[in-house]
Amino acid sequence: MYINDKLEELLKVESPQQYKITYKHHIIFWAIYFLLNTLRWGSIHNDFALSIKTNLIGFPIHIALSYFNIYFLMPRYVYTRKYITYALLVVACLFVMLLVKFNLTYYLVSTNVMPEGPETDTLTLNYAIITMFGELYVVAFATAIKITVDWLREHSKLHDLEKRQLTTELKFLRSQVSPHFFFNTLNNIYSLTLEKSDKAPEVILKLSGLMRYLLYATRKRKQDLKSEIDCIQNYIDLERIRFNDALQIDIGISGDLENKEIAPMLLVPLIENCFKHGASKNIGDMHIDIEINVDDDFLYFNVSNTIPKNEADSKVATRGGGIGLSNVKKRLELGYDQNDYELSIFEKEKMFHVDLKLKV
């Protein structure tokens, strides 16, 4: 499976819209929290009426303090790294909350303001510590949820950006076929038309088929392997006309090509490389050997060409063939899992070899 396929599947789950917090989510969260808290304290004190009254007073304070922290204090002081100011303001808010909650509980619910602890009707240090830490727990819990959702949304956006960049780069690499080939082919067609050769219509038809493949197949992430091989054969037929009898090409195709898929225009640069760095720079007889075999789920693609007689050209070839092979290497890295391919480039017996094993 392609890496960008995996990213796309991931993004279907982690869409930025999916992590958007709506008013509905706020209402559901606080409703569930209120219900659980009411049941908890009602069970502890065996007095659900008292639990409902205290929570009706406490929860508006929880909500106000939580949202004030999330949407005002943190953006202005935490995200700007004013931590001391933030800490002082949080303590001040908790103290104000303490005074409000004490008075509301005392005058509206019960003079015993701390039913969960020692009975008291005054603002003691013990009451202040228990109440402020309890409020801090609620604020921290709500803030943690908000931070987690924000992180998931930003992480999803980052994946979306990486996926877009990856897709753009892959499309660019798929469309990179040497323009020199088209210029040379057009020159060949021009020469054939001047000679009124019967080969001209055939060359134009093959070039048309190749260009059609380039225009439409490269829009897809995967293409039928058979179509890719047909494209290679058209390419080779056009180059045969260009080099005539000076070029010997042996091509063998075996295995079951049906229902196999490959990244479009992945193999053509390997063939093009043979002509660009082999045939075009040789003097005398030239030889290109191509073997294509499909065994189970793997394609074995082996291509070799005569090494240029010029020593400098040979160094170019053994370094990787320039843009063509670099393009293929990059596309394999971006488009396939590391375990799904093996690419070998080497020189042997005066021939330059490229061997590719690819999962299809």
Side-chain angles (χ1 to χ4, degrees), residues 181-196:
F181 165 75
F182 290 106
F183 286 131
N184 290 330
T185 304
L186 290 172
N187 286 332
N188 290 339
I189 293 173
Y190 177 71
S191 300
L192 291 172
T193 54
L194 288 178
E195 297 171 2
K196 301 186 184 309

Side-chain angles (χ1 to χ4, degrees), residues 58-158:
F59 260 76
I61 298 174
H62 296 335
I63 294 171
L65 192 55
S66 296
Y67 288 152
F68 184 70
N69 176 66
I70 291 171
Y71 295 108
F72 183 82
L73 294 181
M74 291 189 66
R76 284 167 176 76
Y77 301 105
V78 174
Y79 300 157
T80 57
R81 300 187 178 184
K82 299 176 182 178
Y83 302 120
I84 296 177
T85 305
Y86 172 73
L88 293 174
L89 288 172
V90 168
V91 172
C93 289
L94 290 173
F95 184 73
V96 172
M97 171 277 307
L98 172 67
L99 296 177
V100 172
K101 186 174 182 179
F102 174 83
N103 285 283
L104 289 176
T105 304
Y106 186 87
Y107 290 107
L108 297 179
V109 180
S110 172
T111 55
N112 178 19
V113 295
M114 192 167 61
E116 65 272 16
E119 183 175 343
T120 179
D121 58 357
T122 58
L123 188 59
T124 63
L125 179 62
N126 190 34
Y127 172 80
I129 292 174
I130 292 175
T131 303
M132 292 177 73
F133 270 99
E135 196 67 38
L136 188 62
Y137 160 78
V138 176
V139 172
F141 182 62
T143 302
I145 293 176
K146 178 64 165 59
I147 291 174
T148 301
V149 172
D150 286 348
W151 181 86
L152 288 171
R153 184 167 57 247
E154 293 303 316
H155 189 63
S156 183
K157 288 180 180 179
L158 178 62

Side-chain angles (χ1 to χ4, degrees), residues 303-305 344-349 351-355:
V303 60
S304 59
N305 62 269
S344 301
I345 302 171
F346 59 94
E347 176 185 338
K348 182 180 180 181
E349 298 177 354
M351 297 286 287
F352 181 69
H353 297 263
V354 177
D355 294 345

Side-chain angles (χ1 to χ4, degrees), residues 159-172:
H159 271 293
D160 187 44
L161 178 61
E162 290 176 348
K163 184 229 177 186
R164 291 175 186 272
Q165 291 175 336
L166 180 62
T167 302
T168 300
E169 187 171 2
L170 284 170
K171 285 181 178 179
F172 173 72

Side-chain angles (χ1 to χ4, degrees), residues 3 266 298-299 328-344 355-359:
I3 293 175
L266 183 66
F298 281 92
L299 165 70
V328 172
K329 290 178 183 177
K330 187 67 174 177
R331 289 187 62 191
L332 288 170
E333 292 172 2
L334 292 175
Y336 286 88
D337 186 82
Q338 189 175 3
N339 297 322
D340 289 344
Y341 72 91
E342 294 178 11
L343 179 65
S344 301
D355 294 345
L356 174 63
K357 177 184 175 182
L358 182 69
K359 189 173 182 178

